[in-house]
Amino acid sequence: MMRPISLSVLGLLMIAGASSANYDELTRELEAFEPKPYLLSSPGANAASTQNTASDERFEQEVQALKELKAAYAAAFKYPSAEKSFYLPTKHQGTEAELIGTSDEAATAAISGSLALSTLDTLVFTRNRGIRSAAQRRLAALESISQVTHLDEILRSYSVFTESVMTGIGPAKGKDTIRNKFPFPATLALKGRVAAREVDIAHENFEITVRDAITKARTAWWNLLYIRRATEVTSETLALLHRMESVATVIYESGKTSFQDVIRIRVKRETLAEKLVTYLEKEKNLHALLLQTVDLPIGTQVGALDIDDAILPTTGLTNEATLGKIAQSDRQELKRMRAMIYKMESMIEMSATMIIPPFTLGFSFYDDQPVLQTGTGAMKSTFATTTTASMGAGLPKMPWYGVGDAYLNETRRKLSALQNSLVDAETKTATMVRMAWFELDLAGREFELFDAKLIELTRAALDVSLTGYEAGKATFADVIGSYTGWLQTSLALERHRADYGIAVARLEQVVGTRLSELNTTKSDGNMDGER
């Protein structure tokens, strides 16, 4: 009875050994299995591989284009052109500008010497803190171009390290799902446009800061010139009044006039002396303003003002219509708004590219899974079998939902508002040019009137009345009237001179271009030739 059982156990053990050998051989065969070449090199797989390679090449091209764009901007900022800048130091001022921009001693020597407008412009451009801040913000905006590719590089690296792995039979092969692809080249180019417009906006802000700082400094320079000239005229008038008081005292002592004449002269003299003190205090205020614009400490000596290179009313200017056209193209605020519009248009296009579904719903898209999707053992269908509007994680679930997306609607509304604001700003610019031109024309005509005619007439009237009063042939009222007329005319002459210089600076501020750069000076020097 025991013998049959032993034979049976022995037979089972022999069968188990054979089965184990067959299993090991089967395992080795399965591990060594590779899909047929026609499965691995299917047209779809080749197309996907080609598409990936082309995408990588386009991405690298866009990255290189962005690098070249940043380099071009950096070169333009380092070596700016006079045509695109409101102000640049001239070539012969290059070394001087670098010196006074870095040395407080050189800047102090420059402002304490003969201070011309050209020297003041250089001081402001190289030392003004607001201009330096705007320059740093412009460089900061330039760095945004480099940041454009950072997110895309991270996403591409993430897609490489987290791509799906086919865990079926055969060697493991990576899977790059087309639904998870990010539209790198298209959106990268659009993001590059947005970053470039940010740099353009920062550059226009820099130019606005330069323009306004120079205009402010020039206005203070002309007002300081007026205060100093007014101080000279008032001091000269005081000297004349001292002389007249001596004459009136002698005449009073001779009994030919009353003591009231002497009192009136003293009242007039004391009034002018007090006004002279006011002028001196105003001069200190203007000194402080000038020193602030060039970043020098309060109390630094401001030298004599050199008006040899200042724009005087005898210099011809282009006509109003031409200036209006120049302002529409060169005014920095308009250029900044146009850059903002272009930036917003690129943002809308980029958002639409990333949010709005494409024209095809992608039912013919399939993944690079040749083994799992072919043959009778396929785990899922090659093509989509259900209708869906989604094309990836985070994208809209309804077809064309992105068209009505709240963010896009908001941005489109802002774009429309900005476009209307641009038209309004262009209209206001035309009005500002008209007003600035009127102020310039008025100041120029009044200066010519006082300089060519009135100042000589009032001086002659003063000399005649003073001589007549000493001889007893003119009344005291005539003398006082002549003094007052000459003083007022002299002050008005200096005021109109300064007003003309300020009007030129403000017209340049409105137009956005230095008038001296327009090369439109008339050879005959007649200001009325083109009015």
Side-chain angles (χ1 to χ4, degrees):
M1 189 68 182
M2 294 295 295
R3 185 175 182 180
I5 296 176
S6 299
L7 291 176
S8 299
V9 171
L10 181 61
L12 291 173
L13 290 175
M14 294 177 63
I15 294 174
S19 299
S20 176
N22 293 336
Y23 177 78
D24 292 339
E25 183 179 357
L26 178 61
T27 301
R28 287 192 296 272
E29 290 179 359
L30 289 175
E31 290 177 353
F33 173 79
E34 291 185 3
K36 297 297 182 181
Y38 69 85
L39 293 177
L40 293 177
S41 59
S42 62
N46 290 335
S49 177
T50 303
Q51 183 179 9
N52 293 338
T53 303
S55 177
D56 292 338
E57 292 177 354
R58 291 197 300 271
F59 180 78
E60 294 300 329
Q61 291 174 358
E62 292 294 341
V63 171
Q64 183 61 31
L66 289 175
K67 291 181 179 178
E68 294 175 357
L69 178 64
K70 181 181 178 181
Y73 272 114
F77 294 160
K78 187 175 182 180
Y79 306 103
S81 62
E83 294 78 10
K84 297 182 179 180
S85 303
F86 179 80
Y87 170 78
L88 285 178
T90 56
K91 293 182 179 179
H92 71 276
Q93 293 175 319
T95 304
E96 177 188 0
E98 294 178 0
L99 180 61
I100 65 179
T102 56
S103 172
D104 291 342
E105 291 77 11
T108 301
I111 202 170
S112 301
S114 181
L115 183 58
L117 277 177
S118 57
T119 303
L120 179 62
D121 292 343
T122 304
L123 283 166
V124 174
F125 183 77
T126 55
R127 297 185 57 85
N128 184 267
R129 288 292 179 178
I131 294 177
R132 291 183 179 181
S133 298
Q136 291 299 322
R137 285 192 291 269
R138 184 176 64 174
L139 293 177
L142 184 61
E143 293 301 323
S144 64
I145 297 180
S146 300
Q147 300 176 18
V148 168
T149 60
H150 288 181
L151 177 60
D152 291 336
E153 292 284 4
I154 293 173
L155 291 175
R156 290 173 69 85
S157 300
Y158 178 82
S159 65
V160 170
F161 289 110
T162 61
E163 61 182 1
S164 300
V165 178
M166 183 179 64
T167 57
I169 59 174
K173 183 179 182 222
K175 179 187 70 173
D176 186 13
T177 306
I178 195 170
R179 295 187 181 90
N180 293 332
K181 284 185 178 179
F182 194 80
F184 291 108
T187 55
L188 185 61
L190 291 172
K191 285 191 288 185
R193 291 186 196 174
V194 173
R197 298 296 77 78
E198 284 285 356
V199 178
D200 291 338
I201 293 171
H203 174 68
E204 296 306 328
N205 287 332
F206 169 79
E207 289 294 326
I208 290 173
T209 305
V210 172
R211 183 199 67 192
D212 292 347
I214 289 180
T215 302
K216 180 180 179 181
R218 282 186 162 235
T219 301
W221 188 94
W222 282 107
N223 282 326
L224 179 59
L225 178 65
Y226 164 70
I227 290 296
R228 290 186 174 181
R229 292 289 182 88
T231 301
E232 294 175 2
V233 172
T234 303
S235 299
E236 183 179 354
T237 306
L238 277 174
L240 293 174
L241 285 176
H242 276 292
R243 174 188 171 188
M244 184 179 178
E245 184 180 0
S246 300
V247 173
T249 302
V250 173
I251 295 175
Y252 167 71
E253 291 176 351
S254 65
K256 295 181 180 180
T257 186
S258 64
F259 187 70
Q260 290 183 353
D261 292 350
V262 179
I263 296 299
R264 290 175 184 175
I265 294 176
R266 289 179 180 177
V267 171
K268 189 70 173 178
R269 180 170 55 82
E270 293 296 333
T271 302
L272 288 183
E274 187 64 30
K275 196 171 186 179
L276 185 61
V277 174
T278 303
Y279 285 148
L280 294 176
E281 292 299 322
K282 286 185 177 180
E283 183 176 357
K284 293 179 181 179
N285 294 342
L286 293 171
H287 284 181
L289 181 59
L290 280 176
L291 294 172
Q292 173 197 341
T293 58
V294 298
D295 192 31
L296 287 175
I298 301 298
T300 303
Q301 180 65 33
V302 178
L305 304 184
D306 182 8
I307 65 171
D308 291 342
D309 67 340
I311 300 178
L312 297 177
T314 55
T315 302
L317 297 174
T318 188
N319 56 60
E320 178 187 356
T322 302
L323 288 176
K325 294 179 180 178
I326 295 174
Q328 295 296 331
S329 61
D330 290 356
R331 181 166 169 79
Q332 287 78 16
E333 284 82 356
L334 300 181
K335 295 165 69 175
R336 180 177 61 184
M337 293 183 71
R338 294 185 183 110
M340 293 172 64
I341 289 175
Y342 189 27
K343 169 191 170 183
M344 200 166 291
E345 290 175 344
S346 299
M347 291 173 61
I348 292 175
E349 184 177 355
M350 182 174 64
S351 300
T353 302
M354 298 173 64
I355 295 177
I356 299 178
F359 288 102
T360 174
L361 295 180
F363 292 150
S364 62
F365 292 166
Y366 60 93
D367 299 332
D368 185 11
Q369 298 177 350
V371 173
L372 293 181
Q373 294 186 199
T374 58
T376 58
M379 299 177 61
K380 59 182 180 179
S381 302
T382 302
F383 299 98
T385 58
T386 58
T387 302
T388 177
S390 65
M391 289 298 297
L395 293 181
K397 301 303 180 183
M398 298 294 293
W400 314 118
Y401 173 79
V403 177
D405 184 79
Y407 171 76
L408 288 179
N409 283 339
E410 176 189 4
T411 309
R412 289 191 181 101
R413 297 294 184 185
K414 289 182 178 180
L415 175 61
S416 178
L418 190 57
Q419 290 171 339
N420 289 324
S421 297
L422 175 61
V423 176
D424 181 62
E426 291 173 346
T427 304
K428 288 181 178 179
T429 297
T431 304
M432 293 170 66
V433 171
R434 170 88 278 275
M435 300 298 291
W437 178 263
F438 168 77
E439 296 294 336
L440 177 66
D441 180 74
L442 176 62
R445 287 186 289 104
E446 289 183 340
F447 175 81
E448 288 182 345
L449 173 63
F450 279 80
D451 185 48
K453 300 178 181 179
L454 298 185
I455 191 66
E456 295 182 0
L457 293 176
T458 54
R459 182 67 191 195
L462 175 61
D463 292 340
V464 171
S465 62
L466 185 59
T467 303
Y469 183 73
E470 293 176 354
K473 297 180 180 180
T475 64
F476 179 79
D478 293 337
V479 176
I480 288 296
S482 298
Y483 268 106
T484 303
W486 180 80
L487 176 62
Q488 293 178 349
T489 302
S490 299
L491 294 177
L493 171 65
E494 300 305 329
R495 183 68 265 174
H496 294 318
R497 186 200 307 272
D499 287 344
Y500 183 83
I502 293 173
V504 171
R506 290 179 177 172
L507 182 60
E508 291 178 339
Q509 185 182 29
V510 171
V511 175
T513 302
R514 298 294 294 272
L515 301 182
S516 58
E517 302 295 332
L518 299 179
N519 297 323
T520 54
T521 302
K522 298 188 293 297
S523 59
D524 58 359
N526 182 13
M527 290 186 63
D528 297 329
E530 294 189 51
R531 286 199 176 97

